[in-house]
Amino acid sequence: MADDPVGPGPDGAAARSQPPPSRRGARPRAARARPDLPRPPSAGSSSRRRHPSAPSLPLPSDSSELDSSEWPALRPAPALPSLQELSDGIRAIIRPPPPVILTAADPTLWYAQQLHDDQLDQQAGPALVTPPPAAADSDWASVDAEYAELLEEQLRRMRVARLLAQLADPQPAEVQCIICTLPLHALTTDAPCTLQCHASHAFHAGCLHRFWAAAPRKSCPICRSAPSLADDRFVSACARRATACVVADRAVTADVARQLVWDALPPAPPSAPISPPLQPPSAPTMLDPQEWAAIDGHSVFECTVSPCSHLLDVPATLKVQWASAVVDVLESIDAARVANDPVGLERGLKWHLCLHDVLLRRPPRTTRGAGRATGEIEARFSAWTTGDRARLLARWASDRAKAWSQLHRSAAAADGDADENRALSRALNLIHEGEIARGLRMLHSNGVASVVPAVVDQLKAKHPPRDRHLPADPGVTPPQVSVQLSHAFAHLPRRAGTGPSGNRNEYLRALAYPFGNAKADRVLAAYGKFATAVASASLPLWYQRAQAIATLVPLVKKPLTAAQLATRETPDVRPIAVGECVLRAIGRALAESSRDSFAHALHPQQLGVGVDGGISTLIHGTRLLLEHRPELVVVRIDIKNAYNAINRSVLLRRVAEHPDLAGVVPLLHAVLAPATDLLVGAGRARLFGDAPDGRGDSSTGVQQGFALSSGAFCIALHPELIALDAELTPFGGVARAIMDDVYAVGPRDTVFAAVARFQTAVAGLLGLSIVPAKLACFSFGADLDHHPGRIALGAPIGTIDPPPPPPAAIHPPADDDGRPQLAPHLMPPPLHGRGVLVAGVPIGDAHYVDTVLARIAADTESYISKTVTELRCDPHAAWTSLYYAAQHRFDFFLRHLPPAVTDAYARRLDAAVITAAASLGYAGCLDDPITRRRIRLPARMHGLGLRERAALAPIAYVACFVEAAEACVDRTSLDGAVAAGAFDVLEGLFGPGAFDAGPGAHRFAALVAPNLPRGRVPSADAFVDAWTAAANAAALSPHRGPLDHSVLQAGSDRPSDQRLQRAITSQHELAARDALDADIRALAHTDPRREAWLSTDSF
């Protein structure tokens, strides 16, 4: 809708009943009160009224849910009432317009052009005449006012004429609001509303709300018929939405004001020097028997960036010495801080940066065997213990020089076959180390792209420059934070990537256990003090920047085809920044301690941080809402390069505004204030090292591998997400997100406008961009093919293979009438095969879901086959990978899609797993039915643990559905505490208090009731069928479990810490074992299958 203000409905009607003004006389007061047009600058008239979307009267408090069966946009219009009297009344006020005098020299010519472009939208044709110019001595003020009066009257007549055409057409192509006579645009906060009395009785919902508020009774302004209940609720919802938009606009204004204050603070250095500002003396000024000063001759860059390879683990015989060496360094740092000794602090921090490189780098290869290498490492620790650190550093510098030379030679001689063999070797090593998931990721990875200029250009494009500085002091008084690292160190993942220094998680894990040595056992306490200093940002800026430095790895998103390889195309890459493990561990400990604070600040709109089972809640909640309200539309929003592009200054300020998160602000500020150095390639060159402006490499955004990054990003995005959710809530819709993946659900006449406002909002302070062509929308019941809101937003309908969007510079061709055609990605796709992916799970029509699942199943079959084929050289690694990882690839979809949908694909994957397992044995080893049943049992029941996915499907689905349903609506505990649900709009589907604690909770009784007005939703039918199938499979077993309850009380009376799927699976497997035991015992006594079964341990 245009931004021109409108008056209340009754005033507008009164204005039309007045006679038109004379050429020289003044208009009646009622007519003058219509400020349809802006006043020209020379007229000195009063200011314009408020926008129509801003409510001027008290808004209704009715928040009842809109009935989908009565939704205005979906109900067929009744028969057209007689319009003769109405048309006669409107024509009675139309008289021939007086001539309008405009000349090229007229000061109000801009006014006419604005009216012609904005109000008429170039559709009414030229309506202005140009008589002879006015005399030179004319009173321009009075002439100007007169011109405005005449022009306004003429334009009003044109709009009324178009309204007559609209009322006469039962299906008008272009619709105007009957009250304000302005066009009904698609992407506005004042949604268009077509009353059910006739298809042409269209209004702005805000205009209609104000008209009804001033009228004696609610009725259609045209035919005076009473509105339907759905019409009344829709208009009330639009009024509440308008209020939400006003509140959001005020919040944006206040947020901008706070950002201006934040920007006015003294700025932090954009790029802190990586070398210390001090110049330590070349010779110690006091006795230094431990030779701490030997580090003075080495730069911070040498201490931070290492070309050497390192041991994968600390040797078991040297763990005590390693912990003691770490204690020496950390206690020297603490002593220097207490004594306020900057030189000693600098030396201690530099030793901390390079200690692992000095002691645990891999010795150079020689022909004298591994014994010499082990002896050299032991000699290093002996030299450290005796204080001979100068000799340690001299040998370290020599090894570094050799490593740099070898690194450059190996990078120049790299080839594809060597990389592939190296990937297989590394995958096998990871599997043998117990890091099975990491090993398989390595095996199936598309690899790392060569660092060629085209790849570097891609990396640079994904790291935009900084446009707002960060303050030197965030102005937050953090609480006393004490970082405990014992749990964080013990649970660090093994064989994780290393930062530029080569420091490994294994070196920190080695410190997490008792040593039986007084000095070594002080290491965790000393590291806790050091981590607290890091978290409170009380260490020098140069050290903070050195710890924040990261290696940038360009992972290939999708392998190139043969044709692309022939033309030497560059693959599309995903930049992954790998930071230092010490900073990652400290951030991980701090994020874990702040988990509840993040969840409290972000729930229910954000389900990706601090929420157990948030993804499952999002998937099941979104599907239930779309099934319960088929007229609603879901729009999947893709934020481009979100983590790398978000504005750091706004992010840090919004985190600092949460008192509960004050403890994480100093560390975030220390990491984000300086521009992070990103090192690329074997030469460890900076990404923007050659930039003439000296900009930093990572000046904006956050690192995805840093534990605090996700929470901070979600806090920064949350105000815009709250505004989007508030705009959809009046209509029974929601906005929910998993990190940067946002899903908006609402009626079609409002959801696209809400997404457009969200797009504008995130592009403001946050600097994020949403590409409309990468959006996707779907609805079970709403017609989206030619909806003007969707087309205006540029959102494609979700489909299986969406056409690529055209380049921005190419405009779609015009049709025969000269009107622009829709771009291919906006054209309506086929009626079958529509849907969207919600957190990777397909939601849509049957063809869409089946096609997506077929592709996923095919990819999973290929994954299983490749895993076993590639690892055939090591059968133990192949079986371990199949048992612990490969067979579970499809389980995510079993939990989130009904068994009737996944059954055929689960059976295909069961066959693929059996084929893979049989290939590791002898021919026909798994052909016997009894053997097949036995291998399905878990190992604790003397099976092989290759569970049948087709049998697991109903168990996985009902368990996930129960847990997600409990998280969707509010729940009251026995002590009266209320846990807010993530989809409170579904309370009408489950009923109030469905999952409250205590015996009175009715749980799924309302959901599965057979006599609902609109019938049960498909998910309820699928849940009943899956629970019945799972219960029937265990019906004859004497073992008790969750399946003993009826479907109405599914999941009740279980411990809060019990995983429902595990409990149901255990009950199933006990029943299956008993049945198999009975069948085996019925075999002949000489049957080897019976002998093998009875020879196992007793049950």
Side-chain angles (χ1 to χ4, degrees):
M1 187 177 67
D3 287 341
D4 301 282
V6 295
D11 293 344
R16 293 184 178 89
S17 65
Q18 300 294 331
S22 62
R23 181 170 177 79
R24 293 292 180 182
R27 287 191 303 169
R29 182 175 181 86
R32 186 180 294 275
R34 281 186 50 83
D36 289 73
L37 306 174
R39 308 304 298 173
S42 61
S45 58
S46 60
S47 61
R48 303 169 66 184
R49 294 186 184 177
R50 67 177 68 195
H51 191 278
S53 63
S56 58
L57 294 171
L59 299 178
S61 58
D62 179 21
S63 59
S64 55
E65 182 180 329
L66 301 181
D67 189 348
S68 62
S69 63
E70 297 179 339
W71 193 265
L74 300 180
R75 284 286 297 265
L80 179 66
S82 174
L83 297 177
Q84 187 62 40
E85 296 182 358
L86 175 64
S87 301
D88 293 342
I90 294 179
R91 290 190 178 93
I93 66 171
I94 299 180
R95 300 180 181 178
V100 180
I101 306 174
L102 289 177
T103 66
D106 197 319
T108 59
L109 187 59
W110 70 273
Y111 184 48
Q113 188 62 42
Q114 177 183 344
L115 293 170
H116 186 266
D117 293 342
D118 297 343
Q119 298 284 351
L120 297 181
D121 199 24
Q122 300 181 355
Q123 295 179 9
L128 308 178
V129 295
T130 307
D137 57 350
S138 300
D139 182 1
W140 281 106
S142 60
V143 172
D144 180 40
E146 181 181 351
Y147 291 167
E149 298 281 357
L150 296 176
L151 191 57
E152 179 179 350
E153 177 63 21
Q154 183 172 354
L155 294 175
R156 186 186 69 81
R157 295 169 184 271
M158 293 178 180
R159 290 196 295 269
V160 171
R162 286 195 293 182
L163 283 177
L164 286 173
Q166 173 181 323
L167 294 174
D169 188 353
Q171 295 294 333
E174 179 183 356
V175 181
Q176 297 176 200
C177 175
I178 304 297
I179 296 176
C180 69
T181 70
L182 296 179
L184 296 175
H185 293 291
L187 301 182
T188 61
T189 58
D190 204 351
C193 174
T194 301
L195 297 182
Q196 297 185 16
C197 51
H198 192 265
S200 64
H201 295 187
F203 311 87
H204 290 115
C207 295
L208 194 57
H209 172 69
R210 289 187 291 274
F211 181 88
W212 285 349
R217 65 181 184 88
K218 295 181 180 179
S219 62
C220 175
I222 298 178
C223 64
R224 302 301 179 183
S225 61
S228 67
L229 180 60
D231 289 336
D232 191 8
R233 289 178 174 176
F234 180 79
V235 173
S236 299
C238 288
R240 294 193 299 274
R241 177 202 182 193
T243 301
C245 293
V246 171
V247 172
D249 291 341
R250 292 173 180 171
V252 169
T253 302
D255 191 56
V256 171
R258 293 195 301 272
Q259 185 64 39
L260 293 176
V261 175
W262 179 269
D263 292 340
L265 296 175
S271 183
I274 198 171
S275 58
L278 303 174
Q279 294 294 332
S282 58
T285 57
M286 60 183 70
L287 294 178
D288 186 17
Q290 299 295 321
E291 297 183 358
W292 291 103
I295 198 66
D296 294 345
H298 299 273
S299 68
V300 176
F301 181 84
E302 292 176 313
C303 297
T304 305
V305 181
S306 173
C308 303
S309 59
H310 297 81
L311 301 178
L312 295 180
D313 283 291
V314 180
T317 58
L318 298 174
K319 287 187 177 181
V320 174
Q321 291 89 325
W322 166 244
S324 300
V326 174
V327 169
D328 289 337
V329 173
L330 295 178
E331 289 184 347
S332 72
I333 294 173
D334 185 59
R337 292 183 64 230
V338 172
N340 196 20
D341 178 11
V343 174
L345 179 61
E346 177 184 313
R347 288 170 177 165
L349 292 174
K350 289 170 71 174
W351 275 112
H352 180 263
L353 288 173
C354 68
L355 183 65
H356 68 282
D357 205 28
V358 172
L359 298 178
L360 295 174
R361 71 185 183 280
R362 195 182 296 274
R365 294 182 179 179
T366 64
T367 60
R368 299 179 61 182
R372 181 178 181 275
T374 304
E376 180 174 341
I377 296 173
E378 291 176 347
R380 294 175 192 167
F381 279 94
S382 178
W384 177 271
T385 303
T386 60
D388 193 4
R389 296 186 172 92
R391 183 168 63 89
L392 273 177
L393 293 180
R395 188 61 183 269
W396 173 57
S398 174
D399 288 349
R400 282 174 55 87
K402 296 177 182 177
W404 277 117
S405 176
Q406 183 179 0
L407 194 64
H408 290 300
R409 289 197 306 269
S410 61
D415 63 87
D417 293 337
D419 289 343
E420 187 172 339
N421 294 332
R422 190 181 302 114
L424 177 59
S425 176
R426 292 186 62 185
L428 285 171
N429 289 335
L430 287 170
I431 293 171
H432 285 296
E433 292 286 346
E435 297 294 328
I436 302 170
R438 292 183 53 80
L440 291 182
R441 283 200 298 270
M442 175 69 66
L443 184 66
H444 294 274
S445 170
N446 294 323
V448 179
S450 301
V451 185
V452 297
V455 171
V456 174
D457 291 341
Q458 286 190 51
L459 298 178
K460 289 182 177 180
K462 295 179 182 293
H463 292 84
R466 180 177 296 184
D467 57 354
R468 289 181 185 271
H469 70 263
L470 274 74
D473 183 3
V476 175
T477 303
Q480 291 293 332
V481 177
S482 178
V483 182
Q484 303 297 325
L485 294 176
S486 57
H487 182 271
F489 279 2
H491 291 83
L492 287 174
R494 293 168 51 85
R495 304 298 182 255
T498 61
S501 73
N503 201 358
R504 307 188 64 87
N505 284 347
E506 287 79 3
Y507 302 165
L508 301 180
R509 286 172 59 99
L511 307 176
Y513 305 99
F515 300 96
N517 180 280
K519 182 178 180 179
D521 285 337
R522 298 202 304 266
V523 67
L524 285 177
Y527 233 127
K529 280 187 178 181
F530 176 77
T532 300
V534 173
S536 59
S538 57
L539 297 179
L541 291 177
W542 66 264
Y543 177 80
Q544 296 172 4
R545 185 186 176 198
Q547 276 286 27
I549 196 171
T551 300
L552 194 63
V553 182
L555 296 182
V556 177
K557 288 185 178 180
K558 185 178 181 180
L560 297 177
T561 63
Q564 291 172 326
L565 290 173
T567 57
R568 298 181 179 273
E569 292 188 21
T570 302
D572 192 15
V573 299
R574 176 184 293 107
I576 300 296
V578 184
E580 290 298 318
C581 65
V582 173
L583 186 63
R584 296 202 309 259
I586 296 174
R588 181 175 180 148
L590 205 57
E592 185 64 26
S593 63
S594 305
R595 184 176 184 270
D596 293 340
S597 298
F598 277 112
H600 177 73
L602 297 171
H603 194 268
Q605 289 83 12
Q606 178 61 252
L607 301 176
V609 176
V611 180
D612 293 330
I615 293 179
S616 298
T617 303
L618 172 71
I619 296 170
H620 284 291
T622 302
R623 184 190 293 114
L624 280 170
L625 185 55
L626 292 175
E627 293 174 349
H628 179 51
R629 301 274 303 284
E631 73 279 1
L632 297 185
V633 180
V634 58
V635 181
R636 191 190 69 218
I637 303 173
D638 178 32
I639 303 177
K640 180 181 178 181
N641 196 27
Y643 274 75
N644 288 330
I646 193 168
N647 190 286
R648 283 187 181 181
S649 179
V650 180
L651 178 144
L652 186 62
R653 176 183 60 82
R654 290 183 175 178
V655 174
E657 289 175 349
H658 288 266
D660 293 342
L661 299 175
V664 307
V665 173
L667 181 58
L668 277 175
H669 180 265
V671 172
L672 300 180
T676 307
D677 286 343
L678 300 177
L679 306 185
V680 184
R684 306 295 201 272
R686 280 188 50 215
L687 181 61
F688 287 95
D690 56 351
D693 56 355
R695 58 156 293 184
D697 297 332
S698 178
S699 302
T700 188
V702 291
Q703 290 184 12
Q704 285 187 264
F706 187 47
L708 291 173
S709 294
S710 294
F713 174 87
C714 294
I715 289 289
L717 183 66
H718 204 55
E720 286 75 16
L721 186 59
I722 287 178
L724 177 62
D725 183 52
E727 194 168 344
L728 298 172
T729 298
F731 304 93
V734 295
R736 297 293 181 263
I738 297 291
M739 307 296 186
D740 57 338
D741 295 327
V742 183
Y743 302 89
V745 182
R748 62 175 187 170
D749 289 335
T750 57
V751 68
F752 296 114
V755 172
R757 283 173 56 88
F758 180 75
Q759 178 184 8
T760 303
V762 299
L765 290 178
L766 295 179
L768 299 175
S769 60
I770 295 175
V771 181
K774 291 189 176 182
L775 301 174
C777 59
F778 170 75
S779 175
F780 284 111
D783 183 9
L784 301 177
D785 287 357
H786 301 285
H787 190 267
R790 180 188 72 85
I791 296 173
L793 179 62
I797 298 176
T799 186
I800 299 170
D801 293 310
I810 300 178
H811 299 283
D815 58 14
D816 296 338
D817 299 330
R819 295 173 297 187
Q821 295 180 358
L822 290 179
H825 71 288
L826 292 180
M827 293 293 291
L831 293 178
H832 300 288
R834 299 186 179 190
V836 296
L837 293 176
V838 176
V841 174
I843 295 180
D845 60 34
H847 180 59
Y848 176 83
V849 174
D850 286 343
T851 305
V852 173
L853 277 184
R855 295 179 179 180
I856 294 173
D859 292 341
T860 305
E861 284 183 290
S862 175
Y863 181 93
I864 295 172
S865 175
K866 180 180 178 180
T867 298
V868 175
T869 302
E870 294 287 334
L871 301 179
R872 190 181 297 275
C873 59
D874 191 334
H876 294 286
W879 172 258
T880 302
S881 301
L882 180 65
Y883 176 80
Y884 285 105
Q887 69 164 330
H888 303 286
R889 291 279 294 181
F890 200 66
D891 290 0
F892 179 76
F893 301 96
L894 298 181
R895 286 176 56 84
H896 297 102
L897 288 168
V901 176
T902 60
D903 181 72
Y905 307 106
R907 295 183 185 278
R908 282 175 51 185
L909 297 180
D910 286 336
V913 169
I914 291 295
T915 301
S919 68
L920 300 176
Y922 57 87
C925 62
L926 299 180
D927 291 344
D928 176 64
I930 294 291
T931 305
R932 287 274 187 99
R933 291 170 60 187
R934 182 174 178 180
I935 67 173
R936 299 300 189 189
L937 292 177
R940 66 179 182 275
M941 296 180 182
H942 311 296
L944 294 184
L946 297 182
R947 290 185 172 92
E948 187 178 7
R949 264 46 215 175
L952 183 64
I955 301 173
Y957 179 75
V958 296
C960 185
F961 187 88
V962 169
E963 293 169 350
E966 292 173 342
C968 280
V969 297
D970 295 349
R971 306 177 308 283
T972 304
S973 62
L974 292 176
D975 58 0
V978 178
F983 282 81
D984 54 354
V985 294
L986 293 175
E987 184 174 316
L989 186 62
F990 289 98
F995 302 106
D996 290 349
H1002 55 82
R1003 297 185 69 81
F1004 296 98
L1007 177 70
V1008 303
N1011 56 348
L1012 295 176
R1014 287 174 287 179
R1016 290 197 308 208
V1017 296
S1019 290
D1021 292 332
F1023 173 62
V1024 171
D1025 294 342
W1027 185 269
T1028 303
N1032 290 339
L1036 301 180
S1037 172
H1039 303 284
R1040 301 297 90 191
L1043 294 175
D1044 297 337
H1045 293 286
S1046 69
V1047 67
L1048 303 182
Q1049 294 294 318
S1052 62
D1053 299 333
R1054 74 181 192 277
S1056 58
D1057 59 344
Q1058 184 188 57
R1059 306 300 295 182
L1060 185 58
Q1061 180 173 337
R1062 177 175 297 181
I1064 298 177
T1065 303
S1066 177
Q1067 186 178 2
H1068 250 250
E1069 288 172 343
L1070 288 171
R1073 186 205 61 185
D1074 291 346
L1076 179 62
D1077 179 65
D1079 292 343
I1080 291 179
R1081 290 178 183 274
L1083 297 174
H1085 285 212
T1086 58
D1087 194 303
R1089 295 171 295 177
R1090 187 177 188 275
E1091 293 178 351
W1093 177 259
L1094 296 180
S1095 297
T1096 57
D1097 297 336
S1098 62
F1099 292 116

